[in-house]
Amino acid sequence: KLTVKEIYRETEKYLNKDVKIEGWVRTLRSSKAFGFIEVNDGTFFKNIQIVFDENMENFKDICKLPISSSIVVEGKLDSTPEAKQPFEIKATNISVEGYSNNDYPLQKKRHSFEYLRTIAHLRPRSNTFSAVFRVRSLAAYAIHKFFQERGFVYVHTPIITASDAEGAGEMFRTTILDLENLPLDENKKVDFKEDFFGKETNLTVSGQLEAEAYALAFRNVYTFGPTFRAENSNTARHAAEFWMIEPEIAFADLKDDMNLAEDMMKYVISYCLENAREEMEFFNSFVDKGLFARLENVVNSDFGCITYTEAVDILKKSGESFDYPVEWGMDLQTEHERYITEKVFKKPVFVIDYPKDIKAFYMRLNDDEKTVAAMDLLVPGIGEIIGGSQREERLDVLERRMDEMGLDKEAYWWYLELRKYGGTKHAGYGLGFERAIMYITGMTNIRDVLPFPRTVNSAEF
Ligand code: 4AD
Ligand code: MG
């Protein structure tokens, strides 16, 4: 048994030999005496062409096969140098594993991404989504490879947690459903026990605080896991459930943090360009014609870096009429981020040293006492893709900041102890995995890079 990937990669080895493959019918056309099937076997982006003729005893049955039927094909691999595909299988036997139906929703014509979202269970069989989700898988592997090759320890931070890592309160609470007291009629409310065995808990918004604990033991660590945010933002870049990569490095400052982020981005992009050549070519031809030029520019350029204050100056002097006028102290909106990275730098750019009041409590206070050692990485087409900072390692300053922000220090007791027992300067960041995949593939909606997206008003599957 052979995969289509092996046939494409080592064609010489299999030419003029008997081969056997399994896969799904993507297209089928036939005449009285012969027919052609394009089969995709799932191992490779490209299809393989099968030729069959009336000498096959089930010829008539095969001619009527609906798209997406699963079949097993035996035959000889023939070279066809003058045709579009350099080889095809001349079938001696085709058996049907499972018939599809003529109402199969993914017929050959092009479908809108909106429509394909309504059939999230079938869309991985289309070209676009086959490419997206193989690249997603490869990019995840590349990220692990990047960190593991550098000696980082992978920490599995908890999904259910008692701490609010961002202090922003955008959390999904966990509850225990009391099955004994389910409502018998619609007037009776469901009785939730609003606690996790006696403790209030939520789904994690970030594994950072726990990663910090491990960085202060292993030095360099990372997490890579699902993250949940109950923010009600119905945009093309926000999901309620998304994946985040969060490295945390000890004995390191903001500059080290940015260098790591830049190296990682370049590594992952290069890895996908090299190892998903067919998929990436598809994106460059059919999804975003400027993709290769842009990605090659990213890999070969040095990322830009400006302070928040400089960014505000640039935006104010730009003469653009933004929906949100810019003032020092406000959070940058996507329109501002995109202006900076698309119009001014035309490449990825770090914005650093944000006002302390718009950033999380754990970011290290700068000497000006007004800004913190934060960094956001902005990229063309998307805006913020990474958020990170140097962490406040000074216990007294951290406690003061938490008081200012009205946080309950008791709840963060263990986090504060990290500063008490051999704390050191350290830093880290979070890369939104879906935003990275959008950036690498040119896809423009987060719903189209998550297998089964959980966004506002969409959790059908
Ligand atoms: O900027 P954020 O909120 O930073 C943190 O959570 C830090 N604790 C990370 C750290 O320093 N370890 O989120 C980091 C990134 C964002 O830049 C964005 O790419 C992504 O996570 N992100 C989202 N992606 C999809 N949907 C959402 N609702 C997202 N919220 C954040
Ligand atoms: Mg952020």
Side-chain angles (χ1 to χ4, degrees), residues 166 205-206 208 229 231 237-240 242 244 246-248 362 376 384-389 391 428-432 434-435 446:
E166 290 301 292
V205 295
S206 157
Q208 177 196 320
R229 302 253 169 121
E231 56 190 335
R237 287 175 308 278
H238 288 87
F242 62 99
M244 190 151 64
E246 296 183 276
E248 196 66 35
Y362 52 70
D376 276 5
E384 178 190 340
I385 193 168
I386 284 178
S389 74
R391 317 306 188 190
Y429 63 81
L431 166 69
E434 285 71 24
R435 295 195 189 170
I446 198 164

Side-chain angles (χ1 to χ4, degrees), residues 170-213:
E170 291 167 333
M171 302 173 298
F172 289 105
R173 284 283 300 274
T174 58
T175 59
I176 299 172
L177 187 57
D178 186 349
L179 289 173
E180 306 269 278
N181 293 309
L182 277 177
L184 300 173
D185 62 68
E186 58 204 35
N187 298 322
K188 237 172 150 188
K189 288 230 167 76
V190 177
D191 182 18
F192 288 108
K193 284 186 186 153
E194 286 203 277
D195 54 8
F196 181 77
F197 307 112
K199 186 132 183 71
E200 263 186 32
T201 53
N202 49 269
L203 299 182
T204 186
V205 295
S206 157
Q208 177 196 320
L209 305 191
E210 292 91 348
E212 281 185 58

Side-chain angles (χ1 to χ4, degrees), residues 1 10 81 104 138 142 146 161 172 196 211 215 238 246 253 278 297 319 333 342 389 391 401 427 444 460:
K1 242 189 275 176
E10 303 167 273
Y104 178 63
L138 268 179
F146 174 84
T161 170
F172 289 105
F196 181 77
H238 288 87
E246 296 183 276
D253 61 15
E278 289 75 15
N297 178 35
Q333 305 296 314
E342 287 165 26
S389 74
R391 317 306 188 190
R401 290 286 297 134
T444 54
E460 187 172 339

Side-chain angles (χ1 to χ4, degrees), residues 53-232:
D53 63 29
E54 58 192 341
N55 294 327
M56 239 169 42
E57 60 171 325
N58 56 350
F59 176 72
K60 289 221 167 81
D61 186 33
I62 299 298
C63 287
K64 283 186 296 206
L65 268 189
I67 304 301
S68 203
S69 299
S70 52
I71 57 175
V72 181
V73 180
E74 288 169 281
K76 191 164 79 69
L77 190 70
D78 255 356
S79 80
T80 52
E82 63 294 339
K84 208 171 90 194
Q85 21 318 64
F87 47 79
E88 61 189 18
I89 297 177
K90 201 157 176 357
T92 49
N93 189 39
I94 299 177
S95 60
V96 181
E97 284 272 313
Y99 286 89
S100 178
N101 234 290
N102 285 326
D103 65 358
Y104 178 63
L106 272 176
Q107 301 294 338
K108 207 187 157 196
K109 73 181 173 74
R110 284 187 75 123
H111 299 284
S112 70
F113 291 154
E114 286 79 5
Y115 169 69
L116 291 170
R117 276 173 220 148
T118 68
I119 49 167
H121 59 309
L122 298 175
R123 67 178 181 168
R125 304 176 188 196
S126 69
N127 279 337
T128 305
F129 290 93
S130 152
V132 166
F133 292 114
R134 202 187 313 270
V135 167
R136 184 178 166 114
S137 164
L138 268 179
Y141 176 67
I143 284 164
H144 282 295
K145 200 160 141 48
F146 174 84
F147 287 115
Q148 295 283 342
E149 280 171 357
R150 284 157 187 74
F152 283 59
V153 170
Y154 178 26
V155 188
H156 300 95
T157 52
I159 306 292
I160 297 176
T161 170
S163 58
D164 177 1
E166 290 301 292
E170 291 167 333
M171 302 173 298
F172 289 105
R173 284 283 300 274
T174 58
T175 59
I176 299 172
L177 187 57
D178 186 349
L179 289 173
E180 306 269 278
N181 293 309
L182 277 177
L184 300 173
D185 62 68
E186 58 204 35
N187 298 322
K188 237 172 150 188
K189 288 230 167 76
V190 177
D191 182 18
F192 288 108
K193 284 186 186 153
E194 286 203 277
D195 54 8
F196 181 77
F197 307 112
K199 186 132 183 71
E200 263 186 32
T201 53
N202 49 269
L203 299 182
T204 186
V205 295
S206 157
Q208 177 196 320
L209 305 191
E210 292 91 348
E212 281 185 58
Y214 275 68
L216 292 172
F218 290 98
R219 184 170 188 141
N220 293 336
V221 302
Y222 71 105
T223 73
F224 187 170
T227 310
F228 306 86
R229 302 253 169 121
E231 56 190 335
N232 196 353

